[in-house]
Amino acid sequence: MEIRKLKAGEQPPLELLLLADPSESLVNGYLQRGLCCVAEVDNSIIGVYVVLQTRPETVEIVNIAVDENKHGQGIGKQLLNHAIQNAKLLGVKTIEIGTGNSSVGQLALYQKCGFRITGIDRDFFIRHYSEEIFENGIQVIDMIRLSLDL
């Protein structure tokens, strides 16, 4: 597997990005401002992440997704580690990430990679999404915020 920056003129893997964020308008908005990297095997994109600089020396992973047929193979962890290493090379001091209150697997993964919970953005998904989102049989309402100091 190769993880690489999206090439100039290359279309981002919108289907994958929408797995992590169902709002196409929000995804397109941060794609214009962020750095998009993809995980590729045999010329097929199986994972993606997008990072935005939010403050001096701080970036946020605003989207990270793995093809549903490839879950449980460590690809998400490799993507996170790639984002962390790139951030270190750029002199970033803090990486932030957020996920839904019902995203049990993602919360476990982020903490295994060293992220710590820093707060809760109450009603985030009610304020920013017009349709209700459900995951693991739970309505996604609050954004759990995590960060990693490098």
Side-chain angles (χ1 to χ4, degrees), residues 7 9 26 57-59 61 81 101 106 113 118 143:
K7 297 172 188 166
L26 287 177
E57 300 183 331
T58 301
V59 296
I61 300 170
N81 286 329
N101 55 276
Q106 292 90 324
C113 289
T118 55
M143 167 88 68

Side-chain angles (χ1 to χ4, degrees), residues 42-58:
D42 298 327
N43 295 318
S44 179
I45 294 175
I46 59 167
V48 62
Y49 72 83
V50 179
V51 175
L52 283 179
Q53 182 165 0
T54 55
R55 294 184 301 286
E57 300 183 331
T58 301

Side-chain angles (χ1 to χ4, degrees), residues 68-82:
E68 290 176 306
N69 296 319
K70 303 290 184 183
H71 284 188
Q73 298 179 22
I75 297 164
K77 187 172 188 175
Q78 290 180 63
L79 286 166
L80 270 176
N81 286 329
H82 187 269

Side-chain angles (χ1 to χ4, degrees), residues 4-11 36 40:
R4 62 172 176 79
K5 183 178 169 183
L6 200 66
K7 297 172 188 166
E10 183 180 9
Q11 289 297 314
C36 182
E40 192 173 50

Side-chain angles (χ1 to χ4, degrees), residues 6-149:
L6 200 66
K7 297 172 188 166
E10 183 180 9
Q11 289 297 314
L14 192 57
E15 283 184 29
L16 279 179
L17 292 161
L18 291 173
L19 290 175
D21 185 342
S23 171
E24 192 168 340
S25 63
L26 287 177
V27 169
N28 286 327
Y30 54 67
L31 277 171
Q32 292 176 13
R33 303 183 327 269
L35 169 69
C36 182
C37 291
V38 294
E40 192 173 50
V41 172
D42 298 327
N43 295 318
S44 179
I45 294 175
I46 59 167
V48 62
Y49 72 83
V50 179
V51 175
L52 283 179
Q53 182 165 0
T54 55
R55 294 184 301 286
E57 300 183 331
T58 301
V59 296
E60 180 177 354
I61 300 170
V62 292
N63 192 309
I64 184 165
V66 174
D67 183 305
E68 290 176 306
N69 296 319
K70 303 290 184 183
H71 284 188
Q73 298 179 22
I75 297 164
K77 187 172 188 175
Q78 290 180 63
L79 286 166
L80 270 176
N81 286 329
H82 187 269
I84 291 166
Q85 293 309 312
N86 273 350
K88 285 180 180 177
L89 291 173
L90 296 172
V92 170
K93 302 291 186 218
T94 304
I95 300 181
E96 299 175 330
I97 196 164
T99 194
N101 55 276
S102 59
S103 301
V104 179
Q106 292 90 324
L107 282 167
L109 172 62
Y110 302 156
Q111 291 175 88
K112 286 177 187 176
C113 289
F115 286 82
R116 296 187 61 196
I117 295 173
T118 55
I120 299 171
D121 188 345
R122 294 177 56 85
D123 297 326
F124 178 89
F125 292 95
I126 303 295
R127 290 192 315 271
H128 295 283
Y129 294 83
S130 57
E131 294 184 24
E132 293 179 342
I133 305 167
F134 285 85
E135 180 181 40
N136 298 316
I138 303 167
Q139 185 175 357
V140 185
I141 297 172
D142 302 320
M143 167 88 68
I144 308 298
R145 306 285 306 153
L146 302 97
S147 71
L148 173 66
D149 292 329

